[in-house]
């Protein structure tokens, strides 16, 4: 592999990506074969199967008594997301698994109609024809006008990745239960209101009828009743009956919460979110209930109507919409919860699992994690997790995989496990770190979590449904996870699948999707070259440029869209073009073979010739097709050659983020402030205004950008090490510059190295223009300071020189740094300017791992009792100090200034641990009397 | 009186900053520091490496919104601060926590003393007395924050307070001198003394007090009620007129003597019993004893360079803040044994002696410096570099300054003051500081801030101790067997 810096000299970094990559000068045999999915999407992960939607979405369908199954709405509500995916068809599929076995209406024994409070059912469905897999959550809502007063609905989380659904079943189930509870609560409220109105109507009708009867009685005193009078009497009787019925219904619906509560003794897990609308932990159930009462009881404003004796025909009446069925407030809350679900399950399964593990591990480090981690997000999700996944007794059921698969390690408290968990965080970075790093990568026995295990599950699940020949499969429900093992047994029919084959399965899915001959484009356009290959190109930093390319592509497809939509446009647009998928769809449904001549862009990439192999028994998509075209050999080889060139750790996790991080293509890549803003917009654009805090992507993206800029800084400035040392050791770094954007950018970049005092925001001030004061150094550890050319800045500079002992000063305009000397080994590992890491997200992960290790050292140092307290009652004063020094040096392997970093972090840990919750005092300013040096480029 | 500065009614124990403009009501941020000295001032500086400086941690305390002038220690861990905003704040010196805020004065506070409770009284709470420019004196309970009592019958601003514990009375000095008992009954008072008022007040034996009024010292004797006389009385015993200019500082050095310092740099040591002059240093630090030269200096706008703002003392020495310099005057030898002519960029406002032969000074230049008094090996010390006497910046004065050089060499200063560290934090004049043996140093400043300087190593140890205590409380501590 040609190392990056060698070639950098010949290419100008900035302009490199802007012009399309058309250098065919390389002889054919040296050129890297293009990634076969290049025209499909930028990454091999973006399309796992031939699904016709670009990313996961949530579908709400109803089995309408009038028109049958029909899709109601999708989240995100954007046609780009589901593309040409046939929602009607899929609604039919998911609603056809009707679980409504329970009787609603007049039960045989009782005189009155009885409401059944049915539990929701949770099913996993697969439709391999559509390439769609879904977690389906069925629920019923009450509607007075509906048949049997019930309307069946379902909410489905639809994904192209079956394993994602299976692995995240628990989480999906918990999240959807919350949404469902919210919806149902609102519905009960609305239903009760409806009943009350109806009762009023009936009451009024009865009064009217009664007076009419009385009048008639008076009118003819002959002693017999006219037919008219009899009819009236009958009517009155039926009204009376109806009133009783409705009263009973009202009583039933009102009694719901209590029944639910009583029942909840049996399953405490359910109770937590019976009444609470989602993500509204603050609102307790009590006021809500009383609010419910209010709604149930009196509605004085309502003027009753006369009810006609003959009800209108069933098909004449218009059924209520979902929104009408549910109290508006609850409906919006449900929608918010659903978009929240969509949000947190965005992205690749690997990514989800990794981040779940990551969060779980972070939670374990509850003593140190405040230092460098962005815990706002972690906490937010952590709470959700606790709420949503109550520990369910696993002995109730046969040991199901989904329980085992739950990748949340147990929280261990002892110091030993703390250490081990810290070490297992070390991702495969040892090549980077050299021998020292690799020595430390060892998963200790006490580690409760084995990453390998998870990978195994991935493979095993693959087999699960592959052999089943039906186009729609019920893969598992919450109640019966044994379905899984059944399909496991069927797996014996298939050839055992190596991971390679599993991967190529995706290829076969796509190739059968309707075209007999698919030729993938060999278009050399830069935008279509997968990022993997870009990584091996000799460019030092290419991430931002590739953003720009993506953005360009998106604009190309969707010119004139507002920034929030661009992200989605990118995903939908850069993949399959609409016309092509249309034809696929038609071809599929019609069962005829149609060659889409209209799509020249979408052609098979293998000029070597399509390798036709006999039909493999992967997943039989469609009975009509008997020929599977597979390019797996060619693909495999190309993939191999593609991935051999660079180590595995260069594979950018941002691939996994692509669909998750939907908003990453903002128009403004340069300024963090603006891009952050836009990402907030985008994350809120596809949901109703809600209380769900925007999490995830923005901070992911933020990290990525910060990592990228930090990487840039490290490469650009030879004095990056002392600067980072300043930050790590708690010496305030002042970045002085004229241009606000540049200063802000660097401050953001370097903020990843700033240890926090507490869970709250980092001690970072992006931009100040007034002279600094001593309190600023106490409060902020990284400050962007404006340099003003006018004499007004004299005060600023004067203050800076006066307080120079508390600060390191990085002059961005003159490219100088004034700060103490650094001779340790820690920062070179953290920030190696010759690093082969090229991506911001990779780098921020690297930083995270090194810093986590550092935190572990600080933890050990701070919490080893013998180091700080005298071993015996009376001990010479210097002894403890010498013990500390030797511990830091020998046990933690710290040299020179690294000691100060660990000492500083240990102080922060101590302060944080001993801080009274009430005292929100400012941290002390610690400093050293050490000489500073001036560094120049 | 040629250049007697006008006494503002603002000051108590340290009554006068002379012509130095106090940065009153000015935002600290926008106030660049005043450097009075010349650019070539031979200010001894210390680099960034200060190995002997133990203060490696600081905590900024913010509560005041005007100049903080006074700090007073209440007990082992508490102190109170007061200043021009009229509020008194009680702090925890260990944690920097603000314990109480005492609001009651409407104008700036001019004097503050602690009022130790006597065994005989039931109230064990710590009391403080504050006098303010609003012509009131308030007694505060520092444990509850309660305003115990308030006296507002003064004709003038009380500028100094003194407590005579033996007699269990306290005195307030303004334009007259009043004597009060603990219950705040006025026992007796003098007639109107002067319009400038009493600037300092100390107790001396034989029921006497010394009051500094302008240029003169007045000795009063308190007459306690006996069988013969019913009431208290205060009698003027003697007026001492040895000072040529306003007396700025007055302290009780030991059982034998008290010391006064004036605006023109006269230091007089008085016998505490017969009120005679034991020793007088007049011109030692003043290179220009002649009146005309002083005038010239005044023209140069440096009239205060020799004013004595503050003393501190130990058994052997009196440490004098003279203008920008620091001098150590040995009481036995009756001469200066060490000096640092330009200890700060600007006037030194407060000095204190630490137990370990260290001296701390703070100045209008916003810095606090730590000095160490070191014995010199030979009596014939190295000659003081001439640069030291360059403080005026022009030759003629320099020539005249050679006189004390000779004198100094004759006397052979046997010690030296070595700068071992400086504390930079305040952005404006540091008015006062307070030293806690266990908790470090507290400084207060015209930038409205109070800074708590701490020994970082010791704090780290304390935090560890706290950490393991908390671990033990939580039951998380596993001791290796």
């Amino acid at each position: 592999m040609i190392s990056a810096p060698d070639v950098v000299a010949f290419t100008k970094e900035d302009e490199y990506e802007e012009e399309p990559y058309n250098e065919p000068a390389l002889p054919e045999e040296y050129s890297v074969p293009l990634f076969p999915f290049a025209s499909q999407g930028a990454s091999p992960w973006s399309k796992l199967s031939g699904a016709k939607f670009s990313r996961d979405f949530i579908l709400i369908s109803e089995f309408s008594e009038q028109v049958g199954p029909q899709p109601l709405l999708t989240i995100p509500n954007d046609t780009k997301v589901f593309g040409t995916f046939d929602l009607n068809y899929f609604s039919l599929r998911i609603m056809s698994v009707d679980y409504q076995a329970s009787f609603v209406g007049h039960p045989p024994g009782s005189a009155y109609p009885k409401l059944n409070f049915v539990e929701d059912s949770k099913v996993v469905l697969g439709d391999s024809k559509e390439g769609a897999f879904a977690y389906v959550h069925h629920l019923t809502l009450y509607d007075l006008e509906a048949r049997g007063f019930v309307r069946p609905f379902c909410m489905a989380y639809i994904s192209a990745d079956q394993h994602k659904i299976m692995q995240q079943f628990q989480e999906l189930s918990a999240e959807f239960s919350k949404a469902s509870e919210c919806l149902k609560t609102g519905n009960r409220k609305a239903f009760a209101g409806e009943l009350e109105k109806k009762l009023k109507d009936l009451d009024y009708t009865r009064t009217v009828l009664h007076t009419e009867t009385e009048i008639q009685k008076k009118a003819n005193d002959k002693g017999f009743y006219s037919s008219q009078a009899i009819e009236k009497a009958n009517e009155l009787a039926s009204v009376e009956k109806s009133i009783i019925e409705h009263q009973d219904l009202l009583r039933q619906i009102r009694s719901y919460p209590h029944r639910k509560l009583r029942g909840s003794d049996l399953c405490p897990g359910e109770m937590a979110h019976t009444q609470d609308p989602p993500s509204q932990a603050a609102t307790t159930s009590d006021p809500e209930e009383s609010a419910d009462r209010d709604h149930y009881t009196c509605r004085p404003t309502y003027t009753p109507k006369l009810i006609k004796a003959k009800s209108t025909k069933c098909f004449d009446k218009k059924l209520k919409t979902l929104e009408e069925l549910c109290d508006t407030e609850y409906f919006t809350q449900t929608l918010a919860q659903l978009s929240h679900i969509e949000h947190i399950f965005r992205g690749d399964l690997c990514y989800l699992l990794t981040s779940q593990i990551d969060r779980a591990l972070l939670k374990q480090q509850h003593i140190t994690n405040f230092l460098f981690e962005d815990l706002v997000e972690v906490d937010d999700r952590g709470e959700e997790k606790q709420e949503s996944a109550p520990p369910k007794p696993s002995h109730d059921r046969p040991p199901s995989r989904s329980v085992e698969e739950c990748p949340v390690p147990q929280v261990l408290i002892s110091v030993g496990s703390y250490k081990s968990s810290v070490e297992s965080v070390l991702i495969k970075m040892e090549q980077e770190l050299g021998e020292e790093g690799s020595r430390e990568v060892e998963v200790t026995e006490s580690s409760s979590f084995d990453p390998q295990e998870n990978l195994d599950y991935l493979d095993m699940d693959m087999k699960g449904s592959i052999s089943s020949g039906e186009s729609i499969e019920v893969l598992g429900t919450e109640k019966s996870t044994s379905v899984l093992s059944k399909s496991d047994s069927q797996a014996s029919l298939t050839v055992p699948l190596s991971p390679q084959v599993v991967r190529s399965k995706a290829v076969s899915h796509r190739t059968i999707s309707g075209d007999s001959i698919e030729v993938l484009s060999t278009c050399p356009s830069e935008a279509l070259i997968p990022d993997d290959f870009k990584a091996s190109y000799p460019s030092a930093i290419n991430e931002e440029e590739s953003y720009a390319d993506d953005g360009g592509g998106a604009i190309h497809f969707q010119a004139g869209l507002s920034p929030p939509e661009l992200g989605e446009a990118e995903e939908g647009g850069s993949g399959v073009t609409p016309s092509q998928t249309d034809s696929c769809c038609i071809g599929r449904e019609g069962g005829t073979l149609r060659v889409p001549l209209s799509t020249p862009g979408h052609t098979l990439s293998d000029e070597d010739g399509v390798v036709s192999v006999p039909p493999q028994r992967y997943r039989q998509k469609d009975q009509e097709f008997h020929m599977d075209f597979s390019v797996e050999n060619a693909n495999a080889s190309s993939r191999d050659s593609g991935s051999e060139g660079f180590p595995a750790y260069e594979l950018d996790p941002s691939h996994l983020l692509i669909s998750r991080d939907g908003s990453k293509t903002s128009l403004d890549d340069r300024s963090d402030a603006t891009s952050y803003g836009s990402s907030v917009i985008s994350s809120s654009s596809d949901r109703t205004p809600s209380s769900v805090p925007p999490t995830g992507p923005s901070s992911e993206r933020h990290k990525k950008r910060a990592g990228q800029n930090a990487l840039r800084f490290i490469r650009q400035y030879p004095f990056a090490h002392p600067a980072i040392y300043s930050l790590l050791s708690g010496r305030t770094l002042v970045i002085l510059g004229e241009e606000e954007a540049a200063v802000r950018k660097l401050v953001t970049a370097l903020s990843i190295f700033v240890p926090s005092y507490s869970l709250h925001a980092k001690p970072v001030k992006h931009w100040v223009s007034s002279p600094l004061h001593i309190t600023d150094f106490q409060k902020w550890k990284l400050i962007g300071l404006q340099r003003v050319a006018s004499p007004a800045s004299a005060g600023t500079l004067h203050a800076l020189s006066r307080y120079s002992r508390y600060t390191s000063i990085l002059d961005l305009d003159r490219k100088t740094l004034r700060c103490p000397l650094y001779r340790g080994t820690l920062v070179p590992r953290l920030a190696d300017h010759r690093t082969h890491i090229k991506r911001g997200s990779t780098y921020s992960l690297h930083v995270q791992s090194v810093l986590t290790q550092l935190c572990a050292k600080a933890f050990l140092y701070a919490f080893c009792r013998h180091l700080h307290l005298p071993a015996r009652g009376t001990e010479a004063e210097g002894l403890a100090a010498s013990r500390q020094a030797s511990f830091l040096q020998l046990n933690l392997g710290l040299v020179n200034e690294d000691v100060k970093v660990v000492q500083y972090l240990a102080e922060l840990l101590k302060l944080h641990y001993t801080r009274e919750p009430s005292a929100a005092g400012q941290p002390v300013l610690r400093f050293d009397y050490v000489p500073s040096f001036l560094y120049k480029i | 009186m040629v250049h007697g500065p006008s006494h503002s009614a603002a000051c108590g124990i340290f009554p006068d900053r002379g012509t130095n403009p106090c940065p009153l009501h000015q935002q600290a941020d926008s106030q660049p520091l005043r450097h009075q000295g010349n650019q070539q001032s031979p200010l001894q500086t210390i680099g960034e490496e200060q190995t002997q400086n133990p203060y490696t941690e600081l905590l900024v305390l913010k509560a005041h919104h005007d100049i903080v002038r006074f700090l007073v220690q209440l007990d082992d861990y508490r102190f109170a601060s007061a200043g021009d905003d009229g509020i008194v704040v009680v702090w925890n010196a260990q944690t920097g926590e603000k314990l109480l805020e005492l609001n009651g004065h409407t104008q700036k506070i001019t004097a503050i003393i602690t009022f130790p409770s006597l065994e005989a009284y039931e109230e064990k709470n710590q009391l403080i007395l504050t006098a303010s420019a609003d012509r009131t004196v308030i007694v505060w309970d520092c444990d509850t924050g309660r305003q115990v009592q308030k006296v507002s019958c003064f004709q003038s601003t009380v500028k100094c307070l003194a407590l005579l514990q033996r007699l269990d009375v306290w005195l307030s000095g303004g334009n007259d001198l009043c004597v009060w008992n603990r219950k705040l009954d006025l026992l007796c008072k003098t007639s109107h003394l002067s319009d400038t008022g009493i600037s300092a007040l100390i107790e001396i034996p034989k029921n006497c007090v010394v009051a500094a009024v302008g240029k003169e010292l007045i000795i009063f004797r308190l007459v306690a009620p006996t069988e013969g006389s019913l009431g208290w009385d205060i009698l003027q015993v003697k007026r001492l007129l040895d000072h040529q200019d306003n007396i700025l500082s007055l302290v009780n050095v030991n059982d034998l003597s008290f010391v006064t310092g004036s605006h023109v740099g006269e230091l007089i040591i008085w016998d505490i019993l017969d009120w005679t002059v034991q020793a007088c240093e007049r011109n030692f630090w003043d290179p220009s004893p002649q009146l005309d030269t002083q005038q010239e200096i005044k023209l140069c706008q440096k009239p205060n360079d020799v004013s004595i703002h503050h003393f501190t003392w130990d058994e052997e020495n009196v440490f004098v803040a003279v203008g920008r310099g620091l001098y150590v005057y040995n009481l036995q030898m009756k001469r200066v044994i060490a000096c640092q002519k330009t200890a700060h960029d600007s006037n030194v406002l407060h000095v204190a002696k630490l137990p370990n032969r260290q001296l701390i000074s703070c100045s209008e230049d916003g810095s606090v410096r730590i000095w160490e008094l070191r014995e010199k090996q030979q009596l014939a010390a190295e000659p003081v570099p001439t640069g030291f006497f360059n403080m005026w910046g022009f030759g003629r004065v320099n020539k005249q300054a050679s006189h004390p050089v000779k004198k100094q060499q004759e006397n052979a200063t046997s010690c030296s003051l070595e700068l071992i560290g400086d504390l930079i934090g305040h952005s404006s004049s540091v008015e006062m500081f307070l030293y806690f043996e266990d908790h470090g140093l507290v400084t207060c400043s015209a930038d409205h801030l109070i800074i708590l300087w701490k020994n970082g190593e010791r704090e780290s140890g304390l935090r560890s101790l706290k950490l393991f205590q908390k671990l033990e409380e939580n039951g998380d501590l596993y001791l290796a067997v």
Side-chain angles (χ1 to χ4, degrees), chain A residues 47 51-58 74-85 87 158 342 346 565 567-569 571-573 686:
Chain A
K47 294 276 174 212
K52 291 183 210 157
F53 46 91
S54 58
R55 67 178 214 221
D56 299 357
F57 64 98
I58 295 171
T74 61
I75 291 162
N77 191 13
D78 184 356
T79 48
K80 289 287 167 302
V81 171
F82 53 88
T84 55
F85 184 69
L87 292 178
I158 301 169
E342 195 270 330
R346 239 183 234 177
E565 286 164 321
E568 281 142 26
E571 283 153 25
D686 52 359

Side-chain angles (χ1 to χ4, degrees), chain A residues 805-806 818 907 926 929, chain B residues 48 55 422 424 460 463:
Chain A
R805 69 173 55 166
Y806 306 118
R818 191 189 163 282
E907 286 310 309
R926 286 173 61 83
Y929 297 103
Chain B
E48 282 164 321
Y55 300 105
D422 61 346
I424 307 258
S460 169
R463 276 194 285 269

Side-chain angles (χ1 to χ4, degrees), chain B residues 464-478:
Chain B
S464 283
L465 207 63
K466 202 170 155 194
L467 174 82
F468 290 108
Q469 272 169 4
K470 184 158 178 183
L471 274 172
E472 210 158 357
E473 279 166 28
N474 297 356
D476 290 339
L477 192 63
Y478 304 103

Side-chain angles (χ1 to χ4, degrees), chain A residues 580-732:
Chain A
Q580 194 265 324
T581 39
D582 272 348
S583 64
C584 281
C585 219
I586 296 162
R588 205 175 268 182
E589 283 180 351
T592 53
L593 229 64
R594 285 175 59 163
V595 183
L597 294 172
S598 59
T599 59
H602 191 72
T603 47
L604 204 59
S605 69
D606 291 291
E607 272 113 337
D608 315 344
V610 175
V611 184
S612 172
V613 290
Q616 313 243 327
R617 290 188 58 85
Y618 294 138
R619 196 172 308 182
Q620 293 193 339
K621 314 282 276 183
D622 211 327
Q623 258 81 14
E624 281 97 347
F625 290 107
H626 297 292
M627 289 290 279
D628 278 357
F629 288 96
S630 171
V631 287
E632 68 168 285
N633 292 340
N635 281 333
S637 62
S638 70
R639 202 166 23 252
D640 284 348
S641 62
S643 53
E644 262 165 17
F646 40 89
Y649 62 81
E650 278 296 356
L651 289 175
D652 191 318
S654 70
H655 287 312
L656 314 179
L657 288 175
I658 279 180
S659 55
R660 175 177 187 79
D661 197 348
S663 60
K664 80 171 175 177
T665 334
S666 78
L667 287 172
D668 187 354
D669 267 331
R670 310 297 290 181
S671 161
D672 281 296
T674 43
S675 61
Y676 179 72
S678 74
S679 74
V680 168
I681 294 167
S682 76
S683 61
S684 59
S685 67
D686 52 359
R687 65 166 73 136
T688 47
S690 69
S691 55
V692 183
T695 54
S698 62
S699 76
E700 294 291 352
R701 187 155 162 274
H702 196 66
K703 256 191 217 165
K704 191 160 149 186
R705 171 122 321 124
Q708 189 59 47
N709 288 332
L711 207 50
R712 209 178 268 269
F713 171 73
I714 289 159
R715 291 185 204 276
Q716 203 175 348
Y717 292 91
F719 48 70
H721 290 174
I724 292 170
Y725 161 69
S726 285
L727 292 172
L728 287 177
S729 61
R731 187 181 172 109
T732 303

